[in-house]
Amino acid sequence: MSKPEPYKSILLQLQAIIEAVAPQPELLFKWKLPFYYCNGIPLCYLNQSKDYVDLAFWHGEKLPKFKEHFISEKRKTVMSLSYKSVEDINDEVVVYVIEQLLKINTNPFKLILSGTYKK
């Protein structure tokens, strides 16, 4: 991973959490971003921007807890958790999001393309 610090450490910490929680996660690169898939369904992706790292995901509207941590501004279907340092990562929130997304187990791309995705 060729990202500078602190982004490299943030990405590695988030990857460690995802890989510990998700059963047999598959890491694929789509649109030059690391996407995690489970059972062939996109779970989340990681994106390092200007001065933070996003853990981005779909179906955030279906997650009843921790909504105050979700960022959805200027986005139609994706929400994220943003971090500027490893210390900002709340393991409980990340684990909750991953566990809930695994329960939803619905491919967001198919919903978006079919026009049935409702935020």
Side-chain angles (χ1 to χ4, degrees):
M1 195 172 298
S2 62
K3 301 289 184 185
E5 290 296 344
Y7 313 114
K8 181 177 182 176
S9 293
I10 296 167
L11 289 163
L12 289 171
Q13 179 67 20
L14 291 171
Q15 285 183 284
I17 296 168
I18 294 164
E19 290 175 7
V21 174
Q24 300 177 329
E26 183 178 14
L27 179 60
L28 302 172
F29 284 82
K30 306 280 185 173
W31 304 286
K32 298 183 182 179
L33 295 172
F35 274 72
Y36 273 97
Y37 281 69
C38 279
N39 302 318
I41 295 173
L43 184 64
C44 60
Y45 66 91
L46 300 167
N47 185 29
Q48 189 255 311
S49 293
K50 299 174 188 171
D51 63 343
Y52 59 91
V53 172
D54 262 346
L55 170 62
F57 52 91
W58 300 265
H59 307 299
E61 77 286 351
K62 297 178 182 178
L63 309 182
K65 290 174 52 181
F66 302 119
K67 288 193 181 284
E68 67 275 11
H69 296 275
F70 301 168
I71 297 169
S72 63
E73 298 162 7
K74 299 180 184 176
R75 297 174 175 167
K76 292 182 180 180
T77 58
V78 175
M79 292 187 181
S80 68
L81 300 168
S82 292
Y83 304 104
K84 293 187 176 191
S85 73
V86 172
E87 294 77 26
D88 291 342
I89 298 171
N90 182 327
D91 292 0
E92 180 184 5
V93 174
V94 177
V95 168
Y96 168 79
V97 167
I98 299 303
E99 287 176 341
Q100 294 305 306
L101 294 174
L102 289 166
K103 289 177 186 176
I104 293 169
N105 197 32
T106 301
N107 189 329
F109 296 136
K110 289 183 180 177
L111 293 176
I112 292 166
L113 292 174
S114 71
T116 61
Y117 192 89
K118 300 287 187 234
K119 188 171 180 187

